[in-house]
Amino acid sequence: MQAQLIALDWGTTSLRAYKLAQGGRVLDQRALSSGIMQLPRSTRVIAGQACSDGFELAFDDACGDWLDAQPELPVIACGMIGSAQGWREAAYRETPADVATLGSSLQTVRTLRGTEVHIVPGVIQRSTLPNVMRGEETQVLGVLHSVADNAPGDLLIGLPGSHSKWVQVADGCIVHFDTFMTGEVFAVLSEHSILGRTQQRSEGFDSHAFDRGVRVALSTAGEAGPLSTIFSTRCLGLTGELSAAAQPDYLSGLLIGHELAALAAVQRRRRQAMALPAVLLIGNASLCARYRRALQACGFPQVAEAEQATERGLWQLAVAAGLVPAAAITSPSMEL
């Protein structure tokens, strides 16, 4: 099957490249540790010119051989590559945002090869406390097409990570989202606070410790908030109730539990109803498994996980921008 598009998911620490055929079918993919904050530092010849530009070098590493074989392939990229620190800034578009809005707002940068890289803008939500996303919008739009026919009327899309996003969608648009810095706070507490002194990293997952942390966050004690409860990670270790190896998973459950308790309260208030929406998770499988476990404990009635969200989204945006012809996505639709 002939390739029709090169799609790049270019973040802060990593770069993922996909070679896509008609309908967004993945023909080849690769991952590099060449995010915008850790670009290659060397000099080599690209397109007959000596080059030391980190963006050019990373781009050549990611897909130079694909373009050697098919120089005419269009290229689209999402993520931090479009930030102020990226290759070319793609200004945020305001909510509500959909595929057509973003697909008509791509910024381009011309490479030494003569290839134009089309960069997807992020999304900004203007309010008393503004909120932004860059990269997640592509994933959200990628799964919306696949669930359009069988999605429940009330759907919340979650993207767990360093800065977890919870996105409300309507009529194919991103209309509202909330951000929780749960992953980054966990890393800071584990690596730079007193809580990390007694922790011992383990390859396995201690589900009992994780569930205990979630229960504490949802309990009466948890009503005091995470600034009150996180010290229990150390205290339970000092009293012998929590082993050093169990403490990271307990802290993870505690922070995720607080995040989801707050999310549930916000959703009930926003919807003016006690019923919680169905949730579709996008992201790392092991992290999504933790969130799925905690979401069920918090009373969310229906939780599913999406795959290939970024590839789907980049293909849809490329279609909207006229970079590739419209064709049905070939991956099976997701059931909710």
Side-chain angles (χ1 to χ4, degrees):
M1 186 176 288
Q2 190 78 353
Q4 292 195 1
L5 179 71
I6 292 174
L8 306 176
D9 178 12
W10 204 334
T12 303
T13 59
S14 65
L15 166 57
R16 291 180 174 82
Y18 304 92
K19 184 164 63 172
L20 304 180
Q22 185 177 26
R25 183 185 296 276
V26 178
L27 298 179
D28 197 1
Q29 59 183 298
R30 54 184 57 147
L32 298 83
S33 58
S34 298
I36 67 165
M37 299 305 291
Q38 39 192 65
L39 295 167
R41 296 183 179 182
S42 62
T43 300
R44 66 170 176 266
V45 176
I46 298 176
Q49 304 177 56
C51 176
S52 58
D53 181 278
F55 291 109
E56 289 277 4
L57 295 172
F59 178 76
D60 192 60
D61 290 338
C63 57
D65 58 334
W66 294 344
L67 289 168
D68 286 340
Q70 289 181 260
E72 75 286 357
L73 282 177
V75 180
I76 189 169
C78 70
M80 291 300 288
I81 192 63
S83 69
Q85 296 76 40
W87 204 351
R88 175 67 54 82
E89 185 173 9
Y92 291 109
R93 295 304 302 261
E94 296 190 19
T95 52
D98 60 9
V99 167
T101 301
L102 299 182
S104 64
S105 307
L106 305 184
Q107 294 296 310
T108 60
V109 58
R110 192 171 185 85
T111 71
L112 288 176
R113 291 173 167 273
T115 302
E116 285 193 339
V117 179
H118 302 265
I119 301 175
V120 180
V123 173
I124 186 168
Q125 175 180 286
R126 298 193 185 277
S127 61
T128 304
L129 296 177
N131 214 336
V132 297
M133 63 169 70
R134 197 177 282 281
E136 295 94 346
E137 76 294 322
T138 300
Q139 295 177 297
V140 170
L141 296 175
V143 300
L144 280 182
H145 177 84
S146 300
V147 302
D149 295 333
N150 60 4
D154 205 12
L155 177 64
L156 185 67
I157 298 179
L159 301 99
S162 296
H163 303 161
S164 297
K165 305 287 184 183
W166 295 94
V167 185
Q168 182 181 337
V169 295
D171 300 323
C173 287
I174 295 169
V175 295
H176 184 91
F177 57 97
D178 299 292
T179 301
F180 293 82
M181 292 180 61
T182 307
E184 186 167 343
V185 170
F186 174 82
V188 169
L189 291 174
S190 297
E191 297 168 14
H192 303 290
S193 83
I194 191 68
L195 302 185
R197 298 291 182 87
T198 56
Q199 288 186 13
Q200 180 181 317
R201 293 293 179 180
S202 173
E203 294 296 325
F205 171 53
D206 191 326
S207 60
H208 296 293
F210 179 83
D211 291 345
R212 183 176 185 174
V214 173
R215 287 196 302 271
V216 170
L218 301 181
S219 70
T220 304
E223 292 176 1
L227 293 181
S228 172
T229 60
I230 55 177
F231 194 59
S232 65
T233 308
R234 176 172 173 80
C235 295
L236 289 170
L238 294 175
T239 58
E241 298 175 67
L242 203 61
S243 70
Q247 289 174 34
D249 286 319
Y250 171 80
L251 179 61
S252 172
L254 192 61
L255 292 175
I256 290 174
H258 278 296
E259 173 187 344
L260 298 183
L263 178 69
V266 167
Q267 290 297 313
R268 289 186 173 112
R269 183 170 65 251
R270 191 169 291 152
R271 288 170 165 77
Q272 297 184 333
M274 290 303 293
L276 291 171
V279 172
L280 182 61
L281 295 175
I282 305 171
N284 174 272
S286 61
L287 184 57
C288 282
R290 288 176 182 249
Y291 270 81
R292 186 169 193 156
R293 193 179 187 100
L295 282 162
Q296 291 168 343
C298 289
F300 285 84
Q302 200 174 356
V303 184
E305 295 176 40
E307 296 179 351
Q308 297 183 318
T310 303
E311 305 95 298
R312 295 169 188 258
L314 285 168
W315 177 265
Q316 289 295 320
L317 288 164
V319 169
L323 301 179
V324 293
I329 287 186
T330 55
S331 303
S333 62
M334 289 165 288
E335 296 295 331
L336 280 169

